Amino acid sequence: MATVVTGIQAGNSWAVTEIQWWHAMGGVNGERVNKIASDFNATQNEYKVVPVYKGNYTETMTAAIAAFRAHKQPHIVQVFEVGTATMMAARGAVYPVEQMMRDAGEKFDKSGFLPAVISYYQTPEGELLSMPFNSSTPVLWYNKDAFKKAGIAEPPRTWPEMETASQKLLDAGYKCGFSFGWQSWVMVENFSAWHNLPMGTRENGFAGLDTEFTFNNKHVKRVMADVGRWQQSRIFQYGGRRGDSLPMFTNGECGMWLNSSAYYGGIKKQAKFEFGQAMLPYYPDIIDSPQNSIIGGATLWVLKGHPKGDYKGVAKFMSYLSSPDVQAWWHQETGYVPITTAAYELSRKQGFYEKNPGTDTAIKQLSLNTPTPNSRGLRFGNYVQVRDIINEEMEAIWNGTKTASQAMDDAVARGNKLLRKFEKANR
Amino acid sequence: MIKRTHFKPSILPYLLVAPQVLITLVFFIWPASQAVYQSMLVEDPFGLKTEFVWFENFVQLFGDDIYFNSFLRTIVFSSLVAALSLSIALILAAMADHVVRGTTVYRTLLIWPYAVAPAVAGALWMFLFDPTLGIVSYMLHGIGYDWNYRLNGNQAMALIVLAASWKQISYNFLFFLAGMQAIPRSLIEAAAIDGAGPARRFWTIIFPLISPTTFFLLVMNIVYAFFDTFGIVHAVTKGGPAKATEILVYKVYNDGFIGLDLGGSAAQSVILMVIVIGLTVIQFRYIERKVEY
């Protein structure tokens, strides 16, 4: 009897089309991804989405590329925003999402997405290439209890105010004023967009491959020099390239932390104090009021090379994934930005922002102004490597081996070499 | 008169060496030639567009300060690892050689680290020395030492040297101990009767007699430091801060698998291959002759 039952089940599962989804969401977010997949699987019995955790963003992307070369690629792969240019250039490997939705006859309304999110992933002609999923933007996290103890009334709005607030924190006995993570993204890429400064020529790479970096301007050099000085005086404490410095904030060493809004879930779980989110600081003498910040996080890319029927299921899943319910839930659980206006509205209607003040900081920051060519995003080739270069040069400033000016000039020179290499390989 | 034996031409000897030749072809010559071929390509990551550029990747490497620095760093790193792990292992072995009671316990404890996978060893050291979480850094901060290997390149280098040496000490220890135990006791006893103290006995008798072992270990340690420490670097520093710990093998990985510059990475691995071949030739041709067996 038992064998008969399993036989029937096995027979059933053969009829189901499996859709492989490779992603980089570890820990709690990984469980949330699994929930989205299993909820989708429960809505119908034709397709089965199988989420596979492939390591961090870099590892996931390189795994998918290696798999593609071996003709074993997944249907969907989550790629972080700096991989966009690499994926875009791979025309033969990528199935543009908008076209896929059309081919599969799935209804798809592009205008419902947030402009700041969607513009990052469009071709110059306006075609959407990948499906936005988890987008975030850096915010200023602050420790409300520490602020109270140090007598700071308001979270700082400008960099000079950051310095004063940090000094007060040090005076109140805290080990450091602030720290940050994902430093190239926060302190160079977003700093530039926030002050409406270009990172490079050709509209930050959106307008062509013959682009060059220009972020070694005096404003970026100034913030680098300031932070370098603050590292010496303990106002700033460096703690690693990605999220490594999170414990410095959650265990109360540093009163402020500049990093992705998507750390919301993690901070909520670990911090034993009241915390808040505020907008990124700016220099009032560079710009009167900030422009808008740019996104990070990842989108879902569809890879070619599977039977046509599979893509019907992929399209169905994409529709489900971007539905207001799923997106609002994902946004509220993780701190990622709601990628559609409908999800934002739904969260508001549910009273999420009233119950959790400050959680809409990210979305407000992203839609503060209409994006300019400087604040739309970045699309530079080999940017995964370039980001490492920027990180290295920044570390050289923090540990005092290079001046801010020298380090940024070197970063631009090294980065431009990689841009030329990319241009050559993708001509 | 020279006697010569003549064999009839036969296919048998060829058949007998065939499996070995086949294995060498499949597992060495073929992948190596693939690497050489790929080192002359400029490719996009997906392999959709490929251009043959002859030696351009190599030319770029040789004109690159970063590659040159990585080279120097690897030499510093491997000499430090070899020196540290050899000398500590030698001291431990000399001491273990004298132990009368509980020998097996000491030996087991000393050999243990070798069973630990490099990545695990790396994680272990990373957790001990993590600037914010590690217990050792807590103690270092306690005595007023500013420990932060995420920022300080020399500290990061010291940490991976320590971690890499720690793992290799066991291996060296085993060979040193075996070498010492193979020395006839009567030799050492005779020296003792002649009035030579322990230090003199060690330097004039024991050390020269284990020189073949030392030579062998030197080669093995350099090869280990060059190629086998990837897991440790990856787990502890990922080559940072500011490339302070990016040794050659790690650069191959970083450029190839993270940066997706497959041609440049292949060129680097070809250079590494040439280094290994060179090292082997030099050592076995010139240095080995100077070693007493």
Side-chain angles (χ1 to χ4, degrees):
Chain A
M1 189 61 208
T3 43
V4 176
V5 174
T6 42
I8 290 166
Q9 277 167 348
N12 268 343
S13 70
W14 278 112
V16 175
T17 309
E18 280 203 3
I19 291 165
Q20 294 287 325
W21 176 21
W22 287 9
H23 66 86
M25 303 271 89
V28 202
N29 284 351
E31 287 160 29
R32 288 172 186 143
V33 160
N34 291 341
K35 185 177 150 47
I36 292 175
S38 62
D39 286 356
F40 169 74
N41 294 339
T43 61
Q44 42 73 50
N45 49 21
E46 254 179 288
Y47 305 101
K48 183 168 175 242
V49 172
V50 186
V52 184
Y53 174 66
K54 277 282 167 182
N56 68 28
Y57 281 141
T58 325
E59 287 158 359
T60 305
M61 179 171 161
T62 47
I65 289 173
F68 182 85
R69 293 178 77 116
H71 307 290
K72 296 255 190 319
Q73 69 272 32
H75 296 80
I76 308 171
V77 59
Q78 185 186 23
V79 176
F80 60 161
E81 87 286 7
V82 288
T84 306
T86 305
M87 299 299 289
M88 258 190 85
R91 272 299 192 169
V94 166
Y95 198 166
V97 158
E98 209 179 327
Q99 193 194 334
M100 184 206 68
M101 293 301 241
R102 214 171 28 238
D103 293 351
E106 189 77 21
K107 235 175 56 188
F108 181 61
D109 180 19
K110 218 168 44 175
S111 62
F113 288 83
L114 290 190
V117 173
I118 205 167
S119 65
Y120 211 113
Y121 303 103
Q122 281 170 322
T123 57
E125 294 79 40
E127 187 188 28
L128 184 66
L129 292 172
S130 60
M131 179 58 90
F133 174 54
N134 60 319
S135 294
S136 64
T137 202
V139 293
L140 170 65
W141 294 97
Y142 64 97
N143 179 336
K144 284 186 179 167
D145 293 0
F147 271 33
K148 222 173 273 167
K149 206 174 146 197
I152 307 163
E154 291 265 293
R157 286 178 312 116
T158 66
W159 280 106
E161 284 175 28
M162 278 293 279
E163 187 175 8
T164 336
S166 299
Q167 192 55 52
K168 281 187 185 161
L169 285 166
L170 291 185
D171 295 343
Y174 286 92
K175 257 185 161 167
C176 88
F178 75 97
S179 188
F180 50 62
W182 286 100
Q183 52 173 1
S184 163
W185 180 54
V186 177
M187 295 304 294
V188 180
E189 295 156 36
N190 267 289
F191 178 88
S192 298
W194 200 228
H195 292 86
N196 199 11
L197 303 164
M199 280 283 289
T201 58
R202 304 283 278 150
E203 297 181 24
N204 280 350
F206 274 84
L209 289 177
D210 52 338
T211 167
E212 281 190 357
F213 289 113
T214 57
F215 59 85
N216 56 341
N217 56 53
K218 64 175 185 199
H219 302 302
V220 173
K221 283 178 177 175
R222 171 179 166 195
V223 73
M224 292 297 136
D226 279 349
V227 177
R229 188 161 48 77
W230 292 335
Q231 166 73 41
Q232 303 303 318
S233 63
R234 300 267 145 190
I235 278 179
F236 164 71
Q237 266 296 292
Y238 179 61
R241 285 183 185 180
R242 298 184 173 205
D244 324 52
S245 53
L246 177 65
M248 293 164 78
F249 178 67
T250 51
N251 66 21
E253 274 178 54
C254 302
M256 294 179 279
W257 196 51
L258 297 159
N259 212 338
S260 169
S261 61
Y263 282 100
Y264 178 66
I267 296 177
K268 201 168 144 188
K269 210 170 167 187
Q270 291 169 31
K272 293 187 179 65
F273 49 81
E274 290 279 297
F275 64 89
Q277 288 181 54
M279 288 204 193
L280 294 172
Y282 65 100
Y283 281 106
D285 47 329
I286 300 179
I287 195 165
D288 293 332
S289 69
Q291 175 56 39
N292 65 285
S293 63
I294 54 175
I295 57 163
T299 51
L300 304 180
W301 291 78
V302 182
L303 296 178
K304 283 184 182 164
H306 291 281
K308 211 169 160 224
D310 289 17
Y311 292 105
K312 276 216 152 71
V314 176
K316 264 205 164 92
F317 177 60
M318 291 283 182
S319 288
Y320 175 81
L321 189 81
S322 51
S323 68
D325 285 324
V326 176
Q327 269 305 313
W329 173 80
W330 171 251
H331 156 59
Q332 293 171 21
E333 287 280 311
T334 59
Y336 283 111
V337 176
I339 49 165
T340 60
T341 32
Y344 180 43
E345 289 303 325
L346 184 63
S347 299
R348 189 145 58 189
K349 235 181 262 163
Q350 290 167 342
F352 177 69
Y353 304 118
E354 280 160 37
K355 272 179 262 167
N356 305 279
T359 40
D360 55 350
T361 308
I363 195 165
K364 277 187 181 156
Q365 243 181 212
L366 284 172
S367 45
L368 200 58
N369 287 299
T370 318
T372 67
N374 295 335
S375 70
R376 185 178 167 197
L378 318 172
R379 193 168 295 155
F380 298 110
N382 281 332
Y383 201 68
V384 183
Q385 257 175 313
V386 173
R387 217 182 226 179
D388 270 342
I389 290 175
I390 298 176
N391 278 324
E392 283 163 22
E393 297 292 342
M394 285 172 90
E395 279 167 348
I397 306 173
W398 312 154
N399 66 23
T401 44
K402 273 188 192 176
T403 64
S405 171
Q406 185 63 51
M408 287 299 111
D409 289 346
D410 289 355
V412 163
R414 287 170 66 192
N416 282 338
K417 264 193 205 164
L418 289 175
L419 288 182
R420 295 293 73 78
K421 218 169 182 170
F422 187 79
E423 195 183 354
K424 193 178 164 89
N426 288 288
R427 220 170 8 213
Chain B
M1 191 186 149
I2 303 163
K3 265 190 163 181
R4 290 177 75 180
T5 320
H6 290 277
F7 291 102
K8 277 200 184 126
S10 152
I11 196 165
L12 185 65
Y14 297 100
L15 275 177
L16 288 175
V17 291
Q20 183 61 45
V21 171
L22 204 69
I23 287 169
T24 316
L25 276 175
V26 172
F27 290 103
F28 180 71
I29 306 289
W30 183 66
S33 59
Q34 282 289 312
V36 172
Y37 173 64
Q38 192 157 41
S39 72
M40 295 178 192
L41 300 179
V42 168
E43 259 188 308
D44 78 300
F46 286 86
L48 300 167
K49 280 167 249 161
T50 307
E51 197 183 333
F52 193 80
V53 294
W54 286 105
F55 297 100
E56 196 175 297
N57 287 321
F58 292 94
V59 172
Q60 257 172 16
L61 277 181
F62 289 123
D64 190 358
D65 283 347
I66 293 164
Y67 188 66
F68 181 70
N69 288 338
S70 176
F71 226 106
L72 288 184
R73 197 172 299 125
T74 311
I75 291 170
V76 170
F77 171 76
S78 38
S79 7
L80 283 176
V81 169
L84 198 68
S85 58
L86 279 174
S87 53
I88 294 178
L90 187 62
I91 294 169
L92 288 174
M95 278 159 41
D97 197 26
H98 286 289
V99 171
V100 184
R101 253 186 236 192
T103 339
T104 30
V105 178
Y106 284 110
R107 280 179 204 167
T108 312
L109 285 175
L110 283 165
I111 293 158
W112 226 339
Y114 197 65
V116 180
V120 177
L124 189 84
W125 284 80
M126 186 200 67
F127 276 119
L128 283 173
F129 285 88
D130 187 279
T132 40
L133 304 170
I135 180 135
V136 179
S137 21
Y138 181 76
M139 291 191 279
L140 285 169
H141 285 298
I143 57 165
Y145 185 74
D146 187 13
W147 172 262
N148 187 356
Y149 76 81
R150 291 234 171 82
L151 197 54
N152 187 318
N154 290 335
Q155 288 179 357
M157 183 54 118
L159 186 58
I160 60 162
V161 167
L162 266 179
S165 309
W166 174 76
K167 249 197 78 55
Q168 191 64 6
I169 285 171
S170 311
Y171 181 86
N172 296 349
F173 169 80
L174 263 184
F175 278 86
F176 274 137
L177 189 65
M180 287 178 189
Q181 304 222 309
I183 297 168
R185 291 290 120 182
S186 53
L187 257 175
I188 298 163
E189 279 159 16
I193 291 166
D194 287 343
R200 194 176 171 84
R201 288 203 300 270
F202 180 81
W203 286 117
T204 52
I205 300 172
I206 298 175
F207 191 64
L209 280 173
I210 56 167
S211 62
T213 315
T214 316
F215 166 71
F216 166 77
L217 285 178
L218 186 70
V219 177
M220 294 311 286
N221 276 267
I222 288 172
V223 171
Y224 160 79
F226 253 79
F227 300 100
D228 232 5
T229 45
F230 171 84
I232 287 169
V233 178
H234 192 56
V236 182
T237 60
K238 298 209 161 39
K243 290 206 184 295
T245 53
E246 196 184 66
I247 53 171
L248 288 173
V249 265
Y250 200 75
K251 191 169 162 58
V252 170
Y253 161 79
N254 220 359
D255 289 1
F257 290 88
I258 304 297
L260 299 168
D261 173 13
L262 299 175
S265 173
Q268 290 174 35
S269 60
V270 168
I271 294 174
L272 274 177
M273 188 164 73
V274 173
I275 294 175
V276 183
I277 295 171
L279 266 180
T280 321
V281 170
I282 291 170
Q283 283 174 324
F284 282 88
R285 193 156 251 223
Y286 301 104
I287 305 175
E288 197 179 26
R289 285 184 189 162
K290 297 197 169 54
V291 175
E292 287 293 330
Y293 281 100

